[in-house]
């Protein structure tokens, strides 16, 4: 059962929280020359003129969600490795090394393999209660 308030689910109310932050603080989010295309006098995304607040749907605003991703794919490893060798090696890596190895594994796949194994990717949203973040084009 979903809690509702004026027809809005909890999920939608959380999303509106971020939008309200933007709307209540519009003076913080004024379009500047940094947001405009060269020679233009408006935001290159939301088309609001310089000096006016960005529209809340502008790509300058975002929030972060914590996601979980799982994927199955073939990894190329030394021929003498066992499952235990693989787990031992991968769990001994620091965070940066682990990401580098994962990315390299994916680059080692042929394009057709990427398409095939890409279908096994599963996404899960673990937390969506992030605050609104404002990023300028130049940042």
């Amino acid at each position: 059962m979903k809690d509702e308030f004026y027809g809005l689910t909890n999920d939608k109310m959380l999303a509106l929280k971020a939008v309200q932050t933007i709307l209540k603080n519009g003076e913080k989010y004024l379009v500047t020359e940094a947001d405009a295309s060269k020679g233009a006098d408006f935001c290159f995304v939301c088309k609001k003129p310089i000096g006016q607040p960005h529209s809340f749907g502008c790509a300058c605003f975002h929030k972060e969600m914590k996601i979980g991703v799982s994927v199955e794919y073939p990894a190329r490893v030394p021929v003498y490795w066992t499952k235990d060798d693989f787990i031992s090696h991968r769990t001994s890596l620091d965070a940066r090394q682990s990401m580098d190895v994962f990315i390299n594994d994916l680059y080692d796949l042929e394009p057709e393999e990427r398409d095939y194994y890409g279908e096994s990717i599963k996404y899960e949203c673990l937390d969506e209660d992030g605050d609104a973040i404002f990023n300028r084009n130049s940042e």
Side-chain angles (χ1 to χ4, degrees), residues 30-137:
L30 298 181
V31 177
T32 67
E33 289 180 10
D35 305 319
S37 298
K38 191 173 186 176
D41 58 355
F42 54 87
C43 174
F44 76 101
V45 177
C46 68
K47 309 300 184 216
K48 292 286 189 167
I50 291 175
Q52 294 293 313
H54 285 275
S55 65
F56 70 84
C58 185
C60 294
F61 299 108
H62 68 275
K63 70 177 185 177
E64 292 182 359
M65 293 179 157
K66 184 184 283 187
I67 62 167
V69 180
S70 66
V71 61
E72 295 177 18
Y73 66 93
R76 290 165 175 79
V77 299
V79 69
Y80 58 87
W81 273 17
T82 64
K83 287 181 185 180
D84 289 340
D85 293 328
F86 175 81
I87 297 298
S88 174
H89 177 265
R90 295 293 170 100
T91 56
S92 70
L93 302 173
D94 66 30
R96 169 161 270 172
Q97 291 170 324
S98 184
M99 288 301 295
D100 288 344
V101 168
F102 174 68
I103 290 167
N104 287 333
D105 282 350
L106 297 181
Y107 277 122
D108 284 345
L109 297 175
E110 296 296 325
E112 312 80 54
E113 291 178 304
R114 286 185 210 138
D115 292 342
Y116 177 78
Y117 289 104
E119 293 177 10
S120 74
I121 297 173
K122 303 284 185 268
Y123 291 96
E124 179 183 9
C125 181
L126 304 173
D127 178 13
E128 66 172 323
D129 196 18
D131 290 328
I133 300 170
F134 179 66
N135 275 1
R136 281 217 144 73
N137 180 23

Side-chain angles (χ1 to χ4, degrees), residues 4 15-16 29 32 96:
E4 294 195 17
L16 283 176
Y29 309 116
T32 67
R96 169 161 270 172

